[in-house]
Every structure is written in structure tokens, then in C-alpha cells.
């Protein structure tokens, strides 16, 4: 007999790519789920989803659905979060929001537990989960920043289509078959569902993720730039990003150049820091062709780091290759980790 | 009746991915080919290839095959060039070599005609064609360097499998089918034919092109670094590269960050320079989602530049996205351009 406290949990967007991974992660982590509510749009309501062997009927996400909920994990798009997070808070829930709706709100902590777990304490009912591409980068940079400081980051990403949802995965697969058979393709979703033009992702690389901003960067790139500064509490950090969508199903890769404040650290010193840091697996042995790759990261919670090498011109410059499952550490697993932090720190009433 | 001078041309590696594009380019450019010799390994000798409607039998590339040849275009691998370029020179040919065999030899000019055409004059029988990923980057940087100087370049590449030859294209297509059908794959070629391990390229990104060097960079990355400095006559230029292979058939893309010597130039000033520069097509209109992509660059000789934007932290820092057909400007077309420069400058005897 166990007297472990359990919590009433809601998953909003339960039928989506990330929602499904959230449920799987709650199961695998044996999170102390008491009551469980699976919420979605009206369209998906009524579906049945199994959790720990029990069938659950998906309900429509309405304000009233949050009555009695203690922890609400949101991953159903920014507009849903904007509308329903305040309703959930009003009813006493703490929300972990995996959309961009509240990330840059100064009243809302933006948390990657390996980097700034303590920030959850300053929540006002909602904690934002950062963008997938940001999370894996800051996890890899943090142990180095702690010891040597950080001055500048330039990242180019190699992002998987699952970041754009289940429909984007289907589009990529269907398109790939069409191209192999020599047929015309008819792109309808990627690069951005809500933008005007759509391009072939099969056997291509598209340098657009999310909408363009006035400064020429995309919103995805600005997320990486602004969120990194916020999570690390470094408004002065120089960060630049180029975000690119690839014909990869799951697993984001990143080519990261960074300059530390204090120069001179050897690659083996940095590797040592990464090897003992939480949430990181170092895969780095050029002589054995060992380096992280998307297909090997799928289904694993860690951030994989390799190809760590010194810049040939600057003694505080380094390059590395960072890969992680964008649906897990990039989304579902980081959200569940935040929920675990809330429980551990006694913040869930 | 025309009295245009013609030249005896040999294409070495005529049956390969680049060799085929060389022949197509010679045809399309109406290069003044007199006698034509198609040379290959013993294995491919005897095949028939059509040039300008005439059938040619492929012959084995032996020292004697170069008797009477004035211009020899080599693209059959470094070991073939090392062995046969000296033999061709001995027999009076000028060689344009598309392998890495002679690129860093201080006695051999390394030429991208848009950047350093005059260097062909200092040839000693052989002119090296740079690596595909280097060529498109220096074409895009040169007009900016000429006006504002260049201090630092950091590039991350998104490279197509055709750079690894026809067998790599086949491997990618076969593998992709297998993955879509849920079958096991059995990688045998990529990332590097001659290396120990082989990895799945379908729906993946592999951060290795060519063999690893002792400094942790791959040979492909070191080519980009050293060749850029040599072509631009800037040994002091800071250059760093991360080279990545993607499941794209043809068309290399590059995310390029660069810092100019003189800061403050606006994006529209830089765009103006690129728009009037030789060999460049600017495709850059975020509001219309116009940017270069691999699938649009295939079969075109130009270097496509877009996503040009200012760094948010440094007033001499910029980012751009550079795409080109790696078999054309990256190989065949640049080689034929060098041959055209040789003819134009009266260097072919």
C-alpha cells in the first residue's frame, strides 16, 4: 500500500503529435497521475485513447473541463492556450504550456529544468515550455556556460517535419512516394500551414520555419534567439539562428558555433563537462565515426552532443552538433519534467 | 563557313555523375570541341555516349590516350588525377582537375572564374577546380568582399547525395523506398564510400562528408576552409565549416554567417551588389516566401542567394542562404568555365 500523493492532470491537445508523446511520457515516468482528462478540439472529441491500460474518452476542451484539474499540459496551438490557460488558472490549475503564447511574457517563467529549474517557483499559474529547437541547444550550452561563460552563439538548424504536426509527416511521406514514382507533387502544408505558399519537402531543404518577421528572420529563428536569452537570464548574449526544415520525420539536428567568455578550454575539458551534465549523452569519437544523428535520437529523452571541436581561428570559439527528439526533450518530455519539478518543489496545491 | 578555332578535348571520368554533366555543359555552351575523347576506368571502357548527336566509344584512360589532347577535364577521383594529370601535361594538354589532388599545391591555381579568373595565367599544365561547397560560397561572398572586405565566415552546409556519385543517389532512393515500406535498410556507401561505417541517409542528416582529420574537422570542412582562403588570396580570413549530408538528390544549400571588414552596409546595398554580380541570381523576398531551394536550383548554372539579413548584434555581421547545383557550378560548369577562360585568354596552344 502506498500513500503517494497523486494529481489531477489534463492533457490539452491529446490527439496531436506532442499530446501522444506526453501521455506516453507520463506513463513511462510513472508520473503520479490521479484523475486524467484528455482534452482536444471539438473535431477530435469522442475518440478513445488508452493510458496505462485504461480507455479514456477525449473531451472537448472547454473552460468548464478544467474544474478540479491541478496540472494542465497544453499542446494544442497558441490560440487555444491564449483562450484556455486563463480559464484553467481561474479554476486552480497550474498550466505547462508548450506553445509560443506566453513564452516571452515577463510574468511567465520559461523553463528547461537542466538550466533554470528554480524559475518554476515564480509561476503565476503558467510555466512556458520553450520551443523545441531552443531546448536542446540550451541543454548542451549550459554546462559550458556555467564554467566558462558564454558570449556568442550562431546556430543553423536541421529540423524534422514532426515539429509541424502529424499532417506534415503524412505530407512528407506521401510526397516522397510521389517523387520516387516520378509523379507531380501538390504541397499543401509545409513549410508553414498558415502561410500563403507551400513547397515540396521531399528531397529538399526549406529555409523557412514559421512566418517571416520584419527583420528578415523567421519567427522560429526569433524564438531561438529570444528564448535562449530568457532561459539563461542573459539579455546581453549574442545569438543568431537560421532555421531549416528537412525531409526527416523526427529528430532535430543543430550545427552550433559558440564563443565562451573565458577562452583556452580544451575540447576534452568541455567534453568532460558535458559527460557529467544532466540530460546529455555525448556521442563523439571521430575515429569510430561516432556522432549524433536524428534516426538514432528518436524515442530517447536525452540531448545528444558530438562533433565538438575548437575553432581554428579563435581560442574561445567551438563548434558542436546537437541532436534530440523534438517531440520528447523538445516538447513532451520537457513539459513533464516541468510538472515533475512543480511536484518536487511542492508547488502543486 | 566559320573559321573558329576548335580544340581537342578529353573528358576523364566521362561515365560519372560529374562527367555526364561536363559533356552536357560542353554541348550547351557550344564549346569549340574539335576532337573529343571520352575516357574512363577499364570497367566502363567500351560504353557508348552520345555528344552532339554523334556516338563516342568510351576508352580506357591510359597515359597514351592523351596524345594530341589540348584540354583535359578530369573528374574521376583523386588517385586517377595524381597518376594521369602529369602524363597528360607531358603530352601537351592543359588539365582542369575536379578532384582534391592538386587544389592546395602552391604551384597550381585554384580557380572560380567569377572570383579569380586571372589566376589561370599562372598554370603549369593544371588548374584545379575547387570543391563544390566552396565554389558556391565564394561566388556569393566575392561581390561583398570586393566592396566591404571580409573578416570571418561561418558556414553550415546542407549537401546533396549526388556529390558522392551516382551510386549514392541509387542508395538514397532504394533506402527511402525500404524505409517507407517499413523494411530494414543496409547502408553500404554513405556517408563516405571508403570509410569503415555506413549510415542510413533516408530521412536522416549525417554530419560527416569525407574522412575525419586530426583536428576534429572532416576533410570536406577543411577543403572549404583552405580553398576559400586560397581562391580569395586571403590566408588571414577566418573560416569555419560544418558539412552535413542530407537526403536531397542534387543541390547544395548553405547557411552562411559572415562579417565584413567595414560595417554598416544595409541589406539592400548588399543585395544590389549581388544582383549585378556575375553568376548570381538573387531570390530574396520574405513577404512572398521567395528564397533559394535545392529543388529549384537543379539544372541551372547560377548560384542562388536569399534570406540575406543583418545580424542582430554586430553591425558588420550578416546571414544568407546560398544554393547551387553541385554538379554544375559546383563541378562541371565551373570546369568548363575554366576551359573557356583558358581559350579566351589565349592560353591553349
Amino acid at each position: 500500500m502506498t500513500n503517494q500523493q497523486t494529481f489531477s492532470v489534463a492533457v490539452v491537445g491529446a490527439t496531436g503529435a506532442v499530446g501522444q508523446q506526453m501521455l506516453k511520457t507520463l506513463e513511462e515516468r510513472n508520473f503520479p497521475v490521479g484523475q486524467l482528462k484528455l482534452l482536444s478540439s471539438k473535431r477530435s472529441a469522442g475518440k478513445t485513447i488508452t493510458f496505462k491500460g485504461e480507455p479514456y474518452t477525449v473531451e472537448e476542451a472547454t473552460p468548464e473541463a478544467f474544474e478540479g484539474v491541478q496540472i494542465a499540459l497544453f499542446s494544442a496551438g497558441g490560440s487555444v492556450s491564449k483562450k484556455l490557460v486563463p480559464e484553467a488558472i481561474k479554476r486552480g490549475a497550474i498550466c505547462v504550456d508548450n506553445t509560443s503564447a506566453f513564452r516571452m511574457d515577463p510574468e511567465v517563467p520559461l523553463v528547461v529544468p537542466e538550466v533554470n529549474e528554480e524559475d518554476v517557483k515564480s509561476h503565476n499559474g503558467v510555466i512556458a515550455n520553450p520551443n523545441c529547437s531552443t531546448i536542446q541547444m540550451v541543454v548542451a550550452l549550459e554546462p559550458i556556460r556555467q564554467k566558462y561563460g558564454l558570449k556568442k552563439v550562431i546556430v543553423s538548424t536541421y529540423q524534422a517535419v514532426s515539429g509541424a504536426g502529424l499532417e506534415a509527416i503524412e505530407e512528407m511521406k506521401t510526397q516522397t512516394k510521389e517523387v520516387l514514382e516520378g509523379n507531380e507533387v501538390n504541397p499543401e502544408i509545409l513549410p508553414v500551414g498558415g502561410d500563403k505558399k507551400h513547397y515540396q519537402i521531399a528531397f529538399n531543404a526549406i529555409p523557412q520555419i514559421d512566418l517571416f518577421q520584419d527583420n528578415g528572420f523567421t519567427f522560429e529563428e526569433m524564438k531561438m534567439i529570444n528564448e535562449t536569452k530568457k532561459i539563461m537570464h542573459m539579455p546581453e548574449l549574442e545569438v543568431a539562428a537560421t532555421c531549416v526544415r528537412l525531409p526527416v520525420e523526427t529528430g532535430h539536428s543543430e550545427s552550433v558555433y559558440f564563443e565562451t567568455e573565458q577562452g583556452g578550454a580544451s575540447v576534452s575539458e568541455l567534453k568532460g563537462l558535458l559527460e557529467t551534465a544532466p540530460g546529455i549523452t555525448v556521442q563523439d569519437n571521430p575515429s569510430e565515426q561516432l556522432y549524433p544523428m536524428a534516426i538514432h535520437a528518436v524515442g530517447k529523452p536525452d540531448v545528444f552532443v558530438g562533433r565538438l571541436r575548437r575553432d581554428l581561428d579563435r581560442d574561445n570559439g567551438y563548434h558542436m552538433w546537437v541532436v534530440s527528439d523534438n517531440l520528447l526533450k523538445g516538447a513532451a518530455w520537457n513539459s513533464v519534467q516541468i510538472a515533475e519539478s512543480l511536484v518536487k518543489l511542492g508547488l502543486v496545491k
Side-chain angles (χ1 to χ4, degrees), chain A residues 74 77-87 97 99-102 219:
Chain A
F74 278 79
S79 58
V80 173
S81 291
K82 273 180 195 153
K83 194 179 140 204
L84 291 178
V85 162
E87 299 290 344
D97 183 33
T99 77
S100 62
F102 300 99
F219 189 47

Side-chain angles (χ1 to χ4, degrees), chain A residues 174 257 282 306:
Chain A
T174 309
Y257 168 75
V282 175

Side-chain angles (χ1 to χ4, degrees), chain A residues 24-287:
Chain A
K24 212 174 143 203
T25 306
L26 289 168
E27 256 185 28
E28 286 174 1
R29 295 288 302 179
N30 207 18
F31 189 86
V33 177
Q35 203 195 6
L36 176 66
K37 280 195 179 183
L38 304 187
L39 305 177
S40 76
S41 64
K42 201 168 185 171
R43 192 164 49 87
S44 294
K47 285 188 182 171
T48 301
I49 290 179
T50 304
F51 179 78
K52 287 193 172 179
E54 300 287 325
Y56 289 79
T57 303
V58 178
E59 298 170 49
E60 188 186 348
T62 60
E64 297 70 29
F66 293 95
E67 293 292 351
V69 169
Q70 291 172 286
I71 300 171
L73 305 176
F74 278 79
S75 192
S79 58
V80 173
S81 291
K82 273 180 195 153
K83 194 179 140 204
L84 291 178
V85 162
E87 299 290 344
I89 294 173
K90 208 185 288 176
R91 289 166 176 83
I94 302 181
C95 303
V96 180
D97 183 33
N98 185 40
T99 77
S100 62
F102 300 99
R103 284 179 191 150
M104 295 314 296
D105 184 332
E107 302 299 314
V108 176
L110 182 68
V111 176
V112 178
E114 290 86 346
V115 180
N116 62 335
E117 183 179 31
E118 292 287 308
D119 286 358
V120 299
K121 291 179 181 167
S122 60
H123 81 82
N124 295 299
V126 55
I127 293 143
N129 191 74
N131 191 50
C132 48
S133 51
T134 311
I135 295 175
Q136 66 185 68
M137 184 172 79
V138 297
V139 167
L141 287 170
E142 178 62 12
I144 296 163
R145 187 196 71 78
Q146 278 180 19
K147 177 133 187 202
Y148 298 104
L150 198 57
K151 212 173 132 186
K152 186 177 181 68
V153 179
I154 298 174
V155 57
S156 294
T157 71
Y158 299 70
Q159 295 184 230
V161 294
S162 59
L166 294 171
E167 285 180 344
I169 299 176
E170 272 317 302
E171 173 166 70
M172 178 187 74
K173 288 184 178 173
T174 309
Q175 245 181 37
T176 303
K177 274 180 212 153
E178 296 297 343
V179 172
L180 286 174
E181 288 167 8
N183 298 330
E184 286 282 306
V185 299
N186 195 10
E188 291 179 343
I189 298 165
L190 291 167
V192 184
D195 211 343
K196 287 176 288 188
K197 292 182 184 166
H198 303 288
Y199 299 119
Q200 176 184 322
I201 187 66
F203 305 108
N204 196 19
I206 307 182
Q208 182 191 0
I209 301 184
D210 219 321
L211 301 170
F212 279 100
Q213 312 295 293
D214 289 341
N215 62 4
F217 286 79
T218 61
F219 189 47
E220 182 84 357
E221 289 159 359
M222 292 312 299
K223 287 180 216 166
M224 290 196 79
I225 292 167
N226 292 324
E227 293 178 14
T228 299
K229 295 179 191 201
K230 179 168 175 175
I231 297 162
M232 290 188 157
H233 299 279
M234 294 183 76
E236 75 289 1
L237 181 67
E238 295 185 24
V239 191
T242 300
C243 291
V244 182
R245 189 74 76 188
L246 299 190
V248 169
E249 183 170 337
T250 299
H252 287 353
S253 303
E254 298 178 347
S255 167
V256 184
Y257 168 75
F258 61 95
E259 292 176 4
T260 53
E261 277 293 340
Q262 185 192 327
S266 71
V267 164
S268 61
E269 285 172 290
L270 298 193
K271 262 191 209 172
L273 291 176
L274 294 170
E275 275 163 356
T276 56
I280 294 176
T281 297
V282 175
Q283 293 180 323
D284 195 349
N285 185 350
S287 66

